[in-house]
Amino acid sequence: MKTNHNKRIFYQLPIAFIGVPIALMIAMTILCSTVFPGQALTPMSLSSQEICQIITAMPKAENTDKLLSVLGTSRSNITKNLIAMKGNMEQYEAEGYGWQNALDSASGLEPRPSSWLIGALRMACES
């Protein structure tokens, strides 16, 4: 009886695809507990200044326009998205749905939070 080598490899692939995300989660947990000691275990209330320090310490975030370029967005796009999101939030609230229920919903109105929101935070931290 001949064993199909390709079939055996096929069944081993899902294990590899599961192992990689688990390894990444472990690495991120270790990194976060090293970079931000205690934060991984206990929630912490951050001031706006501390949030700005974290945002400006991100790679390529020393210059707002450079970060926006990396994020694939612009100041005008961020402003447009914030205004649209405010309108969506008002609409959801008026309908009694609660805007917080639609933030990550695939059926929620565009724009949904994404990388442009990091850009908005960086813009708010400009001095």
Side-chain angles (χ1 to χ4, degrees):
M1 189 166 166
K2 191 174 183 182
T3 304
N4 188 342
H5 179 69
N6 291 338
K7 195 178 234 184
R8 191 171 62 225
I9 291 173
F10 175 76
Y11 290 118
Q12 292 171 348
L13 284 177
I15 294 170
F17 286 119
I18 293 170
V20 171
I22 290 172
L24 286 173
M25 288 188 319
I26 292 170
M28 290 305 295
T29 303
I30 292 168
L31 178 65
C32 286
S33 63
T34 303
V35 175
F36 305 108
Q39 185 175 356
L41 300 176
T42 57
M44 189 169 135
S45 178
L46 297 176
S47 70
S48 59
Q49 183 181 9
E50 291 169 317
I51 290 172
C52 287
Q53 286 174 347
I54 293 168
I55 292 292
T56 56
M58 289 180 170
K60 299 183 180 169
E62 62 278 354
N63 177 290
T64 303
D65 293 314
K66 188 178 197 179
L67 178 63
L68 296 181
S69 176
V70 168
L71 295 172
T73 191
S74 66
R75 290 174 186 270
S76 62
N77 190 42
I78 288 171
T79 303
K80 180 184 72 151
N81 284 341
L82 285 172
I83 291 168
M85 184 172 277
K86 177 184 175 286
N88 293 346
M89 293 163 87
E90 290 169 345
Q91 177 182 336
Y92 287 131
E93 201 64 23
E95 293 172 357
Y97 183 67
W99 60 266
Q100 69 281 6
N101 296 317
L103 285 180
D104 294 325
S105 171
S107 62
L109 296 172
E110 290 288 343
R112 291 185 290 278
S114 63
S115 60
W116 64 266
L117 198 52
I118 292 172
L121 285 171
R122 179 60 182 99
M123 286 172 57
C125 293
E126 284 182 322
S127 36

